[in-house]
Amino acid sequence: MTRHLLARLARMDRREVAWRTQAAARIGGDRLRTAVTRPRWDRRDLLARLARTPALDGVRASLRSRHWDAAHTALSAHFAARPARFVIAPSLISSVRHRVRSTFPDSARGAVARADRLLQGDFDLLAYRGLRFGQGALLTGASWRRDPVHDRQAPQTFWADVPYLDPACGDHKIIWELNRHQHWLPLGRAYWLTGDRRYRDRCLAELASWLDANPPLIGVNWASMLELAFRSLSWIWALHFFVDDRPGTQPGQLDAAPWTVDLLLGIDRQLEHVEHNLSYYFSPNTHLLGEALALYVGGRALPELARSGRWERIGRQVLVAEMDRQITGDGGHSERSTHYHRYALDFYLLALAVARITHDPVGPAFERAVGQLAGAARLLADDGGRVAHIGDDDGGTLMPIAGRAADDWRDSLAAAAALLDRPGLCIGSAPEE
């Protein structure tokens, strides 16, 4: 064991040794602190995590006096009124609803059918159908760390000590897939298309439940940086789906809980954890890309957070640097997996869209990545948009808004065709996504 460790160390350059040493010291310090004082979420912490911009003066004043509802109302009004910085925005709900429902007359019915199953507690994950994680429809407590297929659950211990590969913890992939919260996207779709507040209420109830069951740095849901990255992106979608701008009321005024305060604090804490533990040397492939994407999108979409500038710089740097390493000369992804090729394409599509919306000069670099990946994707897909299953495949997608199969690439190709103004990439008419 010692010889193996020494051999590994000998293969590391100084930069990797320094990074691993710093990470180990941070993890050791966090482990000690969590052993002495059990971590918990504290809304007061958001005050120090907000950017010092005049637009947030009212929010900071309310947080300082611990008037959480007032802080939530001010945050809701801020996000409802500010210029768009993400691919959806509260100001777009009416136009998007009209465009989608007029172009796809069955869209609302399909959205309701899918969302109602989620309200009933039925989840389709990783080729499993109708998984139920809790005793009732709403996910609470241990539901968030339970594997219902093998009826096991992961322990609530410090994140770096969770033995998630041990079968006694269940299948961590099933647990993590639920905790990506990507099912909030179809719930948001149903809310926007129908105005039915049950879908919004369900997401906000799950947010509160998840925070209660997953204190900072504790448990299996803090153990993989890619999973935190995906979850943070889902929460960014939720913020823009559910900030309420109803006529005649002030945004957030009628909400029962100050959920924007909790959500922003949760995003900030999770992206901080991702930043500290990026997969530079653990899984420097699509894992690293996904983590960098969350930092970049979080930084660009949420300048209200004090660390946003640092996150966007790190995310941008990694995404640009990895283009030459992960995208091969023929436009394929270096893992030679059709599934992970689609992941990489979607990562750069979202990065490009956010760069365009927020006027980031890095846009042309992302255009180049999307062009390479999309060109190869169109060659890999048949005339119905389907691709063969080649290489590793976990069945996941970045933006499962309308429930399209992971091997149906029409939505990704249509987005690339629109962003690059290359209609030849599109297969048929652009789908709802």
Side-chain angles (χ1 to χ4, degrees):
M1 184 68 177
T2 302
R3 291 177 62 184
H4 176 70
L5 179 60
L6 290 174
R8 283 188 61 198
L9 286 170
R11 292 194 296 270
M12 296 180 190
D13 59 23
R14 290 183 179 180
R15 171 183 274 184
E16 181 175 354
V17 171
W19 187 89
R20 288 184 179 275
T21 300
Q22 185 181 34
R26 184 184 295 112
I27 291 170
D30 287 341
R31 181 185 286 111
L32 180 60
R33 280 187 288 274
T34 59
V36 173
T37 304
R38 185 73 169 180
R40 62 186 182 88
W41 296 102
D42 189 338
R43 288 168 178 159
R44 293 175 295 181
D45 292 342
L46 182 60
L47 180 61
R49 294 172 179 268
L50 285 179
R52 292 190 173 278
T53 172
L56 299 176
D57 284 347
V59 177
R60 284 194 297 273
S62 295
L63 291 173
R64 205 173 289 116
S65 58
R66 304 187 188 184
H67 292 156
W68 314 126
D69 289 340
H72 165 63
T73 300
L75 280 170
S76 298
H78 170 79
F79 283 109
R82 74 169 190 172
R85 298 194 64 86
F86 189 57
V87 292
I88 60 171
S91 61
L92 300 175
I93 183 169
S94 295
S95 59
V96 169
R97 179 191 295 127
H98 174 74
R99 176 73 179 273
V100 170
R101 294 191 66 157
S102 60
T103 309
F104 306 95
D106 289 333
S107 59
R109 182 167 52 190
V112 165
R114 189 168 177 223
D116 282 353
R117 288 193 62 222
L118 293 170
L119 293 186
Q120 295 162 13
D122 290 339
F123 293 86
D124 297 338
L125 304 172
L126 300 178
Y128 294 104
R129 296 292 176 265
L131 291 182
R132 299 186 70 87
F133 287 81
Q135 297 301 315
L138 181 62
L139 299 165
T140 58
S143 303
W144 294 111
R145 51 191 174 92
R146 178 171 175 259
D147 165 11
V149 175
H150 305 94
D151 195 21
R152 296 177 182 176
Q153 63 185 38
Q156 281 290 75
T157 189
F158 182 66
W159 71 272
D161 299 330
V162 177
Y164 57 81
L165 295 178
D166 186 340
C169 295
D171 186 340
H172 62 284
K173 290 281 191 177
I174 297 172
I175 299 171
W176 283 348
E177 193 72 18
L178 172 73
N179 284 272
R180 288 181 175 185
H181 291 172
Q182 290 180 323
H183 61 278
W184 288 6
L185 276 65
L187 288 170
R189 171 199 180 204
Y191 175 60
W192 270 36
L193 290 180
T194 69
D196 190 332
R197 296 181 65 81
R198 291 180 303 149
Y199 307 122
R200 180 180 187 271
D201 292 345
R202 175 55 179 258
C203 286
L204 302 188
E206 285 193 8
L207 171 65
S209 169
W210 192 91
L211 290 168
D212 184 60
N214 294 275
L217 305 184
I218 299 298
V220 67
N221 293 316
W222 291 86
S224 166
M225 300 310 109
L226 180 62
E227 303 307 314
L228 272 82
F230 279 150
R231 185 164 54 248
S232 296
L233 289 170
S234 296
W235 289 24
I236 293 170
W237 278 95
L239 175 65
H240 294 86
F241 267 131
F242 303 126
V243 162
D244 213 339
D245 194 14
R246 284 168 288 173
T249 64
Q250 187 173 357
Q253 193 173 36
L254 303 182
D255 286 327
W259 65 268
T260 54
V261 175
D262 298 334
L263 182 137
L264 285 177
L265 179 59
I267 290 175
D268 187 275
R269 190 66 186 85
Q270 290 178 89
L271 289 183
E272 179 184 39
H273 193 49
V274 172
E275 176 199 340
H276 289 163
N277 299 279
L278 276 165
S279 297
Y280 287 121
Y281 306 105
F282 175 69
S283 294
N285 42 42
T286 49
H287 278 240
L288 181 58
L289 282 183
E291 294 159 14
L293 175 71
L295 291 177
Y296 177 74
V297 172
R300 295 299 293 181
L302 297 174
E304 292 81 6
L305 296 174
R307 290 183 177 85
S308 61
R310 176 176 174 81
W311 291 335
E312 69 169 84
R313 285 193 298 274
I314 295 172
R316 184 190 298 109
Q317 181 180 19
V318 172
L319 288 169
V320 171
E322 291 299 304
M323 287 169 51
D324 291 336
R325 200 180 69 82
Q326 295 200 37
I327 304 175
T328 61
D330 61 4
H333 187 260
S334 59
E335 291 191 64
R336 296 306 187 189
S337 156
T338 51
H339 182 79
Y340 288 103
H341 183 103
R342 196 261 176 93
Y343 256 143
L345 172 57
D346 284 352
F347 291 166
Y348 281 105
L349 279 169
L350 183 56
L352 173 57
V354 170
R356 290 264 188 89
I357 293 164
T358 60
H359 308 291
D360 189 349
V362 77
F366 293 157
E367 287 174 13
R368 187 166 68 254
V370 169
Q372 291 175 288
L373 290 163
R378 183 61 190 90
L379 293 174
L380 289 166
D382 64 22
D383 287 341
R386 295 277 181 163
V387 295
H389 292 222
I390 301 172
D392 195 10
D393 180 349
D394 71 359
T397 56
L398 179 65
M399 295 173 283
I401 295 173
R404 188 175 306 282
D407 61 2
D408 183 346
W409 289 8
R410 283 176 294 166
D411 52 344
S412 298
L413 287 167
L419 286 169
L420 300 179
D421 194 20
R422 288 173 55 183
L425 292 172
C426 199
I427 296 176
S429 300
E432 182 184 335
E433 295 90 338

